[in-house]
Amino acid sequence: MKTIPRLLFGLLGTLLLLASLAGCSGDSASVTLSRIDVTPADPSIASGTSVMFTAIAVFSDNSKKDVTSTVTWTSSSQAVATISSAGLATGVGGGTSTISATLSGVTGSTTLTVSSAALLAISVTPMTTSIATGTTQQFVATGTFSDNTTQDLTTQVTWSSLPTTFATINSAGLATGVAAGTSTITATFGSGPGAVSGTAALTVTTATLSSIQVTPINPRIAKGTTDQFRATGIFSDNTKQDLTSSATWSSSNMAVATIPSTGGLATGVAAGTATITASIGGKSGSTTLTVTSATIVAMEVEPLTPTIALGTSQQFTATGRFSDNTTQDLTTLVAWSSSKTTVATISNATGSNGLATPMAAGTTTITAAWGGASGSTTLTVTTATLQSIDVEPADLTIPAGVQQAFTATGTFSDGTIQDLTTQVTWSSDTPAVATISNAAGTRGVAATVGAGTATITAALGTISGSTSLTVSNVALVSIQVSPPDPSLPQGLTQQFTATGIYADGSPFDLTPVVTWSATDLTGTNVAAISNDPLSSGLATALNPGTATIAAQLGTISSNTAPGISATLTVTSAALVSIAVTPAAPGIAIGTTQQFVATGTYNDSSTHDITQFVTWTSSAPAFAVISNAANQQGLATGVGVGTSTITATLGSVTGSTTLTVTNATLSSITVTPANSTIATKTTVQFTATGNFNNGTTQDLTRLVVWATSNKNIAAISNSSGTKGLATGVAAGVPVTISATFGGKTGTTGLTVATGTLTGITIQSTSFTIAVGGTQQFQAIGNYGTFTQDLTKQVVWNTGDQKIAASNNGLKSRGLVTGVSVGTTTVSATKPATVINGSASITVQ
């Protein structure tokens, strides 16, 4: 008699659970559970270690819910791995086991491989960091194994802090600053003689929290979508610290936007505005979130038709286009699916949304769906084998106390390349000089420790690539902020760059690590500038007026001579028209065209608004155009025909026509031809495609670059630096090649040991208007050859109040007229006394 009520209660519990899931996914009983995705897909762990699995329920209306704690977990082979009711699997012995998650008759599964690989080392990140008393720092322990794989061991190691008088640390790796001093943070796996440990240094200071900055600044989202906010603390010693996880979050209007007290993820509920606030230690910072009633119109999935090899992975992004002509990144909200899970699976789990894992050679359709809209692309998986790995930047010299991000690009047997930065295992052969992270989010980021040279290596399986990193113990002398004197209308943003000039004259980009400030000169609340490492130096124009944009690192400030700060002018100008360029271009199928949107305002000023407009293509069957971050305005030809490319901002639009042809590539021309450079210097190569219809196209970003001898000259295939060659060592001329569409173009490059004897600035005098700009070019004389050093010298002007120089990475040598007068412009090669100069008159 007691059995029947138990069965009834069990059935009732199941029905309530399903009702809850349906309620979270939609509004009706017609919404059914379609599938369960288990992630990570096909992971491999070492015996004795663990991996946490996640179960995501995907419903018939393309909504999703994390059901990790409610599914029934099973392992097909207990001799290989066991799994807890919470989804934590532990490797027992070598082999494979099917890990399954079942709910209401629906099952999802993946394969777990347990290896006998031995743990060789543990890296603890961040390796060296500083926090204030009373604040916290999350540490991550990453294990490197004998088969060149890595695993996150944060929850499996034993954490300790010595001494605890300065900092304590809990079992999850969260350290708390107790008193001023330095503690050694240790992560240990195992016990006895076989135990493996890794350490990091945590310095606790007496700095007090001065302010909290909440980013993004004044964002807009559609109702039903989310926005991840971050809190950055600015301290009394001019340092900054990520406080996102330790701050208490709140929304001023829960009817408009909700936000949990922890984490910073806000959800738009209804149209209106809400103040999002982060508080800690009696301090708070806030920003305004605007929620609109816009509905989704279309979904874009990128990258378009990628090809990857087995054993690698591909991150996809989903961008939604809304009825108010805005766009949003919906990667974490959409329901991802793969049409052929036997070819590739794709994750819906938090932290890996949109990450595709190949299973077998073939093609599959990757789809992102949300709110009644969906978008898709084709993923091709090949059996190509990895041939080599290039690590960039090549043979770099940087000052102590900074960080450097490295990238790993793999070249495969079919001639394709892939970014493997987040998939390789990174190592440094001299941790006393530099350490490098294998932790998620900072993978490939090296931290300098002391002067010397270290070899930075990236390995995947049996293939590896490396480069040298030299750390110099030179002092920071000044900080220069650029651009020097920009002006922009309310609502737009401006990316500023902080360049550190060191005692040996060498420049280094300090944009992510400096503490930024915006000080009103005229007006009120003129601009806000981000200190979040993800958007550091990005200023938002808020109200009309002028503001000083300054950057500080330690005791060195751009406000102190010989430093250079910038002046940002914000206007109330209104957008009148948009021009889309280039006008009426033609491209071949499979190639791309970057469009630029230039806005003209009612004060006759013009501004590049490429990243602010919403891009559309009238004929997606012929051409598609991107709205994804850092890809805005990039069109790809997919079919023969014409399409109208339109850029819209608010109620203003501009357009042009893009023609896609079936022209075939005849040849590739690589320029400059047969150049000569000195060791440790660079040259930018360009690849121009020549087509059978007589047209040409810039293919620099599409080709695969290669060098015949990496020991003499390296060349980049990384996004943003494609085609940039670096002289490694003097030797016989090398061949630089660019390959695309079955065609290859080549040129020669000689790396010589010439000594720099002088620098000439092309033309000796220039005249520009106030507010105008002039790009200067510096030519280095090495005796037997000359070389363009424009991007490798440090630019200065005699009087920054007349003309301001720019040492930003993308605009080095660009000089802006500030006020009427005449001054000098100089270009100096770092670590030398060699310089050149010219005169500039501002009218």
Side-chain angles (χ1 to χ4, degrees):
M1 295 293 293
K2 293 182 179 179
T3 304
I4 296 176
R6 286 177 180 172
L7 289 174
L8 289 175
F9 278 122
L11 178 60
L12 178 61
T14 300
L15 292 173
L16 288 173
L17 172 61
L18 287 174
S20 172
L21 294 178
C24 291
S25 62
D27 64 328
S28 69
S30 63
V31 176
T32 57
L33 177 60
S34 300
R35 71 177 193 272
I36 294 176
D37 293 342
V38 176
T39 53
D42 288 357
S44 179
I45 64 172
S47 180
T49 65
S50 302
V51 59
M52 186 68 193
F53 284 96
T54 300
I56 303 295
V58 181
F59 296 87
S60 56
D61 65 348
N62 287 317
S63 60
K64 60 185 182 179
K65 180 178 175 63
D66 189 334
V67 292
T68 304
S69 61
T70 53
V71 296
T72 299
W73 290 99
T74 58
S75 169
S76 65
S77 177
Q78 297 284 312
V80 173
T82 60
I83 190 164
S84 72
S85 60
L88 182 66
T90 301
V92 177
T96 61
S97 178
T98 301
I99 302 298
S100 300
T102 303
L103 179 66
S104 304
V106 179
T107 298
S109 63
T110 192
T111 301
L112 171 63
T113 301
V114 179
S115 73
S116 57
L119 179 61
L120 300 180
I122 293 176
S123 63
V124 179
T125 51
M127 292 117 179
T128 55
T129 191
S130 176
I131 64 173
T133 303
T135 63
T136 60
Q137 173 65 56
Q138 178 63 55
F139 285 92
V140 175
T142 305
T144 300
F145 291 82
S146 55
D147 58 355
N148 275 329
T149 60
T150 60
Q151 273 182 246
D152 186 345
L153 302 177
T154 304
T155 60
Q156 303 173 59
V157 296
T158 299
W159 291 96
S160 63
S161 173
L162 187 68
T164 55
T165 51
F166 301 137
T168 59
I169 191 165
N170 66 15
S171 59
L174 185 66
T176 301
V178 177
T182 300
S183 288
T184 299
I185 303 298
T186 303
T188 303
F189 186 84
S191 59
V196 179
S197 296
T199 62
L202 175 61
T203 299
V204 181
T205 72
T206 57
T208 56
L209 182 61
S210 302
S211 62
I212 297 176
Q213 184 182 68
V214 176
T215 51
I217 299 166
N218 297 348
R220 294 171 61 92
I221 64 173
K223 66 178 180 180
T225 66
T226 62
D227 202 355
Q228 178 62 58
F229 287 93
R230 293 169 60 87
T232 304
I234 310 299
F235 290 82
S236 56
D237 59 354
N238 290 310
T239 60
K240 58 185 182 181
Q241 191 178 328
D242 184 357
L243 302 178
T244 304
S245 60
S246 53
T248 299
W249 294 89
S250 63
S251 167
S252 65
N253 192 340
M254 298 290 279
V256 170
T258 60
I259 192 167
S261 60
T262 59
L265 183 66
T267 301
V269 178
T273 60
T275 300
I276 302 298
T277 302
S279 304
I280 188 173
K283 299 289 184 180
S284 65
S286 61
T287 193
T288 300
L289 172 62
T290 299
V291 180
T292 72
S293 57
T295 55
I296 191 164
V297 173
M299 186 81 71
E300 300 168 5
V301 176
E302 296 182 78
L304 289 174
T305 60
T307 297
I308 64 173
L310 283 168
T312 65
S313 61
Q314 176 66 57
Q315 178 63 55
F316 287 92
T317 62
T319 304
R321 181 157 50 88
F322 289 81
S323 56
D324 61 351
N325 286 317
T326 61
T327 60
Q328 275 183 245
D329 185 346
L330 301 179
T331 304
T332 62
L333 281 181
V334 298
W336 291 98
S337 63
S338 169
S339 64
K340 295 181 182 177
T341 55
T342 54
V343 173
T345 61
I346 190 162
S347 175
N348 280 293
T350 301
S352 61
N353 286 282
L355 182 67
T357 303
M359 300 294 164
T363 60
T364 182
T365 301
I366 300 297
T367 301
W370 182 84
S374 66
S376 61
T377 190
T378 301
L379 171 64
T380 300
V381 179
T382 72
T383 56
T385 56
L386 181 61
Q387 303 293 299
S388 63
I389 296 175
D390 291 332
V391 178
E392 301 167 43
D395 297 313
L396 188 67
T397 297
I398 64 175
V402 300
Q403 295 183 336
Q404 174 64 49
F406 286 90
T407 60
T409 304
T411 300
F412 290 80
S413 56
D414 60 355
T416 60
I417 59 173
Q418 272 183 249
D419 185 347
L420 302 177
T421 304
T422 61
Q423 302 171 59
V424 297
T425 297
W426 293 94
S427 63
S428 166
D429 71 340
T430 314
V433 172
T435 56
I436 191 162
S437 174
N438 281 294
T442 58
R443 201 154 193 161
V445 176
T448 57
V449 180
T453 300
T455 298
I456 301 298
T457 301
L460 184 61
T462 59
I463 307 298
S464 65
S466 61
T467 190
S468 65
L469 173 62
T470 300
V471 180
S472 61
N473 199 15
V474 292
L476 177 63
V477 175
S478 66
I479 297 174
Q480 298 181 358
V481 175
S482 56
D485 193 27
S487 174
L488 66 157
Q490 290 172 268
L492 298 187
T493 61
Q494 173 68 58
Q495 180 62 57
F496 285 92
T497 300
T499 303
I501 308 298
Y502 285 79
D504 61 354
S506 61
F508 191 79
D509 185 4
L510 299 177
T511 304
V513 296
V514 296
T515 299
W516 292 92
S517 63
T519 305
D520 293 342
L521 295 176
T522 64
T524 304
N525 196 24
V526 173
I529 189 163
S530 175
N531 278 289
D532 180 350
L534 299 180
S535 57
S536 189
L538 184 67
T540 302
L542 300 176
N543 295 292
T546 58
T548 296
I549 304 297
Q552 183 156 348
L553 183 62
T555 59
I556 307 299
S557 170
S558 62
N559 279 330
T560 305
I564 303 169
S565 295
T567 301
L568 172 63
T569 300
V570 178
T571 73
S572 57
L575 181 63
V576 175
S577 63
I578 298 174
V580 176
T581 53
I587 63 173
I589 291 178
T591 64
T592 61
Q593 174 66 60
Q594 178 63 58
F595 286 95
V596 174
T598 303
T600 298
Y601 289 76
N602 62 1
D603 61 355
S604 298
S605 65
T606 58
H607 301 276
D608 184 345
I609 55 175
T610 304
Q611 63 178 320
F612 301 102
V613 299
T614 295
W615 293 95
T616 56
S617 167
S618 66
F622 303 143
V624 293
I625 191 161
S626 178
N627 283 289
N630 302 316
Q631 296 287 321
Q632 295 101 327
L634 183 66
T636 302
V638 294
V640 176
T642 59
S643 178
T644 299
I645 302 299
T646 303
T648 304
L649 183 60
S651 59
V652 183
T653 64
S655 62
T656 192
T657 301
L658 173 63
T659 301
V660 182
T661 72
N662 59 2
T664 56
L665 182 62
S666 303
S667 63
I668 296 175
T669 303
V670 179
T671 53
N674 301 318
S675 54
T676 300
I677 63 173
T679 56
K680 301 294 184 181
T681 64
T682 62
V683 59
Q684 178 65 54
F685 285 97
T686 299
T688 303
N690 307 297
F691 290 82
N692 66 348
N693 62 352
T695 61
T696 61
Q697 274 183 247
D698 185 348
L699 302 180
T700 304
R701 64 194 301 169
L702 293 177
V703 299
V704 175
W705 292 96
T707 171
S708 61
N709 192 331
K710 298 177 183 178
N711 295 322
I712 294 177
I715 191 161
S716 174
N717 278 294
S718 292
S719 176
T721 58
K722 286 201 91 174
L724 183 68
T726 301
V728 178
V732 297
V734 300
T735 300
I736 300 297
S737 63
T739 302
F740 177 77
K743 303 294 182 181
T744 298
T746 63
T747 191
L749 173 63
T750 299
V751 181
T753 55
T755 301
L756 181 65
T757 58
I759 295 176
T760 301
I761 295 180
Q762 287 195 334
S763 189
T764 55
S765 62
F766 298 87
T767 299
I768 62 175
V770 173
T773 60
Q774 174 66 52
Q775 178 64 57
F776 282 83
Q777 186 179 23
I779 304 299
N781 189 339
Y782 285 87
T784 58
F785 63 93
T786 60
Q787 184 183 344
D788 186 346
L789 298 178
T790 303
K791 301 296 184 182
Q792 301 165 66
V793 295
V794 175
W795 294 90
N796 282 296
T797 58
D799 189 342
Q800 290 282 329
K801 294 180 180 179
I802 295 176
S805 57
N806 194 328
N807 282 295
L809 293 179
K810 295 183 179 180
S811 51
R812 187 164 289 177
L814 187 69
V815 175
T816 303
V818 179
S819 62
V820 175
T822 299
T823 187
T824 57
V825 175
S826 65
T828 305
K829 185 70 170 70
T832 73
V833 293
I834 308 297
N835 65 71
S837 63
S839 173
I840 186 168
T841 299
V842 181
Q843 295 182 345

